[in-house]
Amino acid sequence: MVNTYSFDCTACGKCCNSPPAMSLRELFGHRDLFVGCIALGRVRRDANTPLHAFPVDEANTITITTLALDYSSIGRCPALADDGLCSLHVKGKPDQCIAVPLDPLVPDHLQHAVLAQRSTGAGWIGAQCIRPGEHAEAMLLRGNEIVDEEAKAAVQRRRAAMLIERDLWSAAIFNDLSREFDQPRRMLAMLPEYGYRTIPIVPALLAIGVMSTELAQICIAYIDAQRSLIQRNVTQAMQRRCLDDRPMTQTLRSFADALVHARVRLAELPPRAVSAPLVRKAEAWLLG
């Protein structure tokens, strides 16, 4: 099997056909562009299981992360410019995007399999950006090592962000799920075998917002921006009159309703001073 690949972006936009997976911090930074949600996924438990995953039983783990969501009928990322380039190059491009075509969720020694699949996958055919072998000034992967420094740094930042946010909010959500579903098989039953289940981002906001007054304020500001963005996106969908958009419209409206209730809860919280180390960590991560 080929384990050396080069990558030379052609700005064709094929890899920008949907919004990316993003950390909560990145979603806060782009609150007016991306609708955020929580993604619950099932991952097999083995030596290659991501470090941010939560063990459920001897064979399974679940991941709890954030990502951006939009109408699939649009077929493009909201940040994709008309020239095929990302409009966020100088405005905080998400690490998941900088890492493309690598997958930060996959260990380095298996990235060659990711590149092999993506070089021939239906969504990538014709892109001609992923090439097996070594090509001058375009080297990406050599054996088990990511050799492109920018991509390597992005992969490491993305992995680090998922571990940080595991401590800050996703662990609390996992604990809530564990209490709600007292048996592992019941928890797994709510998740698709492949892909993920999306839910409103509200549990993450509440887990963060209760920590301190400043964190509650940034969560409220995020909620206000998200409600406006959702309204704009739904209005545009109504104007397109595409039947395929209806399920996403219903999803976004349910997200907006959940955000309204979350805002009320956060606004009613009494003033809170920073004390615990976890709170200081959260403020440094989300406010710094």
Side-chain angles (χ1 to χ4, degrees), residues 188-258:
L188 294 171
M190 72 170 182
L191 302 177
E193 186 173 357
Y194 302 101
Y196 49 81
R197 175 182 177 180
T198 57
I199 63 173
I201 201 169
V202 164
L205 299 180
L206 294 177
I208 291 294
V210 298
M211 290 184 177
S212 74
T213 299
E214 282 194 87
L215 288 171
Q217 290 172 346
I218 193 175
C219 288
I220 289 173
Y222 177 78
I223 287 172
D224 291 342
Q226 287 285 281
R227 290 175 60 196
S228 297
L229 175 60
I230 289 173
Q231 182 59 51
R232 291 197 300 273
N233 289 356
V234 168
T235 298
Q236 292 169 3
M238 299 295 288
Q239 294 171 348
R240 288 194 299 270
R241 297 185 178 183
C242 176
L243 291 178
D244 292 341
D245 286 344
R246 286 186 176 180
M248 180 55 67
T249 294
Q250 294 174 349
T251 295
L252 292 179
R253 284 173 170 165
S254 69
F255 282 9
D257 290 341

Side-chain angles (χ1 to χ4, degrees), residues 42-57:
R42 181 192 301 195
V43 179
R44 185 171 182 81
R45 189 174 184 179
D46 57 27
N48 298 315
T49 301
L51 293 177
H52 68 283
F54 296 93
V56 176
D57 57 26

